[in-house]
Amino acid sequence: MNEFLSGIRRVFAYARVSTKHQSGLSIDGQFRMCERFAEFYNMTIVGKFSDKETGKVNTREQFDVMLERVYAGEVDGILCEKYDRFSRAGASGEVLIQKIEKETGIRVIAVAELMDTTTPVGRAMRGMRMLFAALEREETVDRTIRRMKDMARYAYWMGGQPPLGYKVIDVQDKEGKLRKKLAIDEETAPLVRKIFELYADGKSQAQIVDWLNAQGYKTSRGGAFTKQSLHDILHNEKYRGIYTYFKGTKHNHHAKRDDVVRVPGGVPAIIDEELWDQVQKRFRAHAGYKHRYLLAGLLKCGRCGGYMHGHGGKEPDYRCIKHKPRLTIRKSKIEDFVLAYIKYEILEAVTDIDFELMAHEINAQATQRDHTRKQMIDKLTLELSRLQTDEERLIQAIKAGIGLEGLKEEAQKIKQRKEEIKLKLSQLRGPGGNDYIKVQELKENWELMKKRFYEGTSEQKEMVVRQLIDEVILHPSGYIQVIQK
């Protein structure tokens, strides 16, 4: 059984958590799964590597060190918990894995997604699994956002640093649960009113920033004021008593969107409507053309490698600001190119998907993993029973005073091994296991991505773009290079 694993004896173990803020416990858990797998299949882990980085970062320090040793021929394979822990989910993750396997002759093995990737079907299944993993993450994000938005409609504070002029207090909801809400901070609220009054009276943003810093005032995060932080204050509707949630996007805090939660009267107002209107009237008088830049944070200059920035006006463009003459391209030209690339090279390039075969393969692999897990549970349970018997015999011997010091040391080793086995058994028997999937679920996940791209809002289309595309490079020759995730 699992003949494709034959010949793999020396392996590296690789683990990754999604952000630098996640606990190292997740990495330890991934390594434990790899260790159990290696033990069961008589493999030896000769090195462990881990990164605390987002999967979108091109350079992962430990990952690169591991690959250097892989290309030096030190191992037969690499173990990871799941394929999306090894590389980005999506098409480019599969390309990277195939490239490493072809050039080095090793095998990348996801111990929780065991499949025979020595066959074309197996490799195709791995690629599709990585793509669907990306879709599943998007669904999880959507569900989380829906729950957060439901909470926000009650004007509960959803976490983070409160705006200048406010503090967070505890309140009880209808069910008696403690929630957080914003209340006026009487120490800093007067400064907020002063800022609005200065701008309404004609002071420029630069003048106000200089005055605030000269007086030693600090932002809500304890830093010096900038034009950006001042701009955020003067546009924050909370100061007029309207609680807002889900404004902007990750890459554009001020982006307009039509699904913002707005609760009039949800927070106590610091300024009145008259002062708010005076400030916004000044902004409108200076407002120019506003555009949504789909490739913000994705488009890079092929000359210097830096990000290209959107530049407004009647004919908006993207431009690199580091060099003269500037490398520029019309906004409509490059955005249309990238959208067409996604349509024809990704979404419509994958045709005649046999979802039934795919579901059958995934579920067959899940069945195999369940069988393997049961074998490991049986093996550990038997060992635990033997250790229990040995421990009871040692206890009797210790009570009889036979070889006291040596027996105590042996008893301690048995106790430690028992704890290790109990921990492994609890993990093997715990929730999470192998997911069985239905044909309809596969179809729905695939169609969901296509529907978002073809029929969704501009925000949903942007989500698909950022889900599928890692970066776009504009070369000085005019060549546009699109790099998939």
Side-chain angles (χ1 to χ4, degrees), residues 341-403:
Y341 179 93
I342 291 174
K343 177 180 178 181
Y344 296 111
E345 298 296 328
I346 301 178
L347 298 182
E348 295 185 5
V350 181
T351 59
D352 299 325
I353 301 175
D354 192 337
F355 290 104
E356 290 189 5
L357 175 61
M358 188 181 301
H360 175 76
E361 291 289 339
I362 291 175
N363 292 333
Q365 292 153 12
T367 300
Q368 175 61 42
R369 290 194 297 272
D370 279 342
H371 177 71
T372 301
R373 182 164 63 164
K374 184 178 183 302
Q375 287 181 313
M376 295 178 74
I377 289 174
D378 292 343
K379 180 180 177 182
L380 290 171
T381 302
L382 179 60
E383 183 181 355
L384 185 62
S385 176
R386 290 171 178 168
L387 288 172
Q388 183 69 34
T389 301
D390 291 344
E391 187 178 48
E392 291 172 358
R393 291 173 179 170
L394 283 173
I395 291 174
Q396 295 300 322
I398 290 172
K399 288 181 178 179
I402 302 173

Side-chain angles (χ1 to χ4, degrees), residues 15-28 30 51-55 81 84-85 137:
R16 178 178 65 82
V17 291
S18 299
T19 70
K20 293 183 178 181
H21 306 293
Q22 279 188 286
S23 169
L25 292 176
S26 177
I27 286 179
D28 292 340
Q30 292 176 49
D51 288 301
K52 294 183 179 181
E53 300 281 350
T54 172
E81 180 192 20
D84 63 357
R85 295 297 88 195
R137 279 200 297 274

Side-chain angles (χ1 to χ4, degrees), residues 187-313:
E187 292 186 6
T188 56
L191 177 60
V192 173
R193 297 189 190 99
K194 182 67 175 179
I195 289 172
F196 274 85
E197 290 168 355
L198 288 171
Y199 192 75
D201 288 342
K203 297 291 185 182
S204 70
Q205 293 185 63
Q207 289 174 322
I208 298 173
V209 167
D210 290 342
W211 178 79
L212 289 167
N213 291 328
Q215 297 296 316
Y217 290 118
K218 300 295 182 183
T219 66
S220 61
R221 297 183 180 277
F225 280 89
T226 63
K227 288 183 69 175
Q228 184 61 56
S229 60
L230 180 67
H231 182 274
D232 291 343
I233 289 173
L234 295 172
H235 283 81
N236 193 335
E237 289 189 284
K238 293 182 179 69
Y239 294 123
R240 64 189 291 209
I242 298 178
Y243 179 89
T244 58
Y245 181 72
F246 214 57
K247 290 187 68 175
T249 66
K250 178 180 179 181
H251 298 277
N252 184 359
H253 179 67
H254 299 288
K256 301 293 184 182
R257 53 192 307 157
D258 47 15
D259 57 349
V260 179
V261 175
R262 300 177 78 254
V263 185
V267 291
I270 291 179
I271 63 171
D272 57 34
E273 283 295 315
E274 182 180 357
L275 181 55
W276 172 266
D277 289 340
Q278 289 176 0
V279 167
Q280 304 313 310
K281 185 177 180 180
R282 272 202 71 190
F283 276 114
R284 286 193 295 272
H286 294 87
Y289 292 93
K290 299 294 182 181
H291 302 279
R292 183 185 190 90
Y293 291 91
L294 182 69
L295 302 180
L298 294 178
L299 181 59
K300 288 185 176 182
C301 171
R303 182 181 293 145
C304 69
Y307 285 108
M308 298 183 67
H309 301 275
H311 182 263

Side-chain angles (χ1 to χ4, degrees), residues 82-87 97 108 110 113 115 117 126 130:
K82 295 184 177 182
Y83 287 114
D84 63 357
R85 295 297 88 195
F86 182 81
S87 181
I97 292 173
V108 178
E113 298 174 334
M115 60 184 71
T117 57
R126 179 174 61 190
M130 295 180 75

Side-chain angles (χ1 to χ4, degrees), residues 8-157:
I8 302 177
R9 290 293 172 261
R10 292 170 55 83
V11 295
F12 287 145
Y14 180 73
R16 178 178 65 82
V17 291
S18 299
T19 70
K20 293 183 178 181
H21 306 293
Q22 279 188 286
S23 169
L25 292 176
S26 177
I27 286 179
D28 292 340
Q30 292 176 49
F31 279 145
R32 281 195 294 271
M33 289 192 69
C34 294
E35 289 165 356
R36 291 198 298 269
F37 183 91
E39 180 183 0
F40 186 80
Y41 286 102
N42 297 318
M43 299 176 184
T44 302
I45 297 177
V46 296
K48 294 180 180 179
F49 304 85
S50 64
D51 288 301
K52 294 183 179 181
E53 300 281 350
T54 172
K56 294 183 180 179
V57 174
N58 285 328
T59 301
R60 289 176 273 163
E61 183 178 348
Q62 286 293 299
F63 185 82
D64 293 339
V65 171
M66 178 183 69
L67 286 189
E68 286 183 10
R69 294 177 61 180
V70 167
Y71 275 84
E74 294 186 24
V75 292
D76 310 309
I78 301 173
L79 302 184
C80 57
E81 180 192 20
K82 295 184 177 182
Y83 287 114
D84 63 357
R85 295 297 88 195
F86 182 81
S87 181
R88 304 179 188 90
S92 68
E94 172 63 12
V95 170
L96 173 63
I97 292 173
Q98 288 197 30
K99 179 177 184 291
I100 294 171
E101 291 180 336
K102 181 178 179 180
E103 293 178 350
T104 66
I106 64 103
R107 199 79 48 72
V108 178
I109 303 165
V111 302
E113 298 174 334
L114 189 59
M115 60 184 71
D116 184 358
T117 57
T118 61
T119 66
V121 172
R123 289 189 291 273
M125 291 298 304
R126 179 174 61 190
M128 292 305 296
R129 193 176 190 93
M130 295 180 75
L131 177 59
F132 285 125
L135 284 170
E136 288 169 7
R137 279 200 297 274
E138 290 295 330
E139 281 297 289
T140 300
V141 170
D142 285 347
R143 287 194 296 269
T144 302
I145 288 173
R146 286 197 295 270
R147 289 196 294 269
M148 297 289 280
K149 289 171 73 172
D150 287 341
M151 296 288 291
R153 290 186 174 90
Y154 292 96
Y156 295 133
W157 182 243

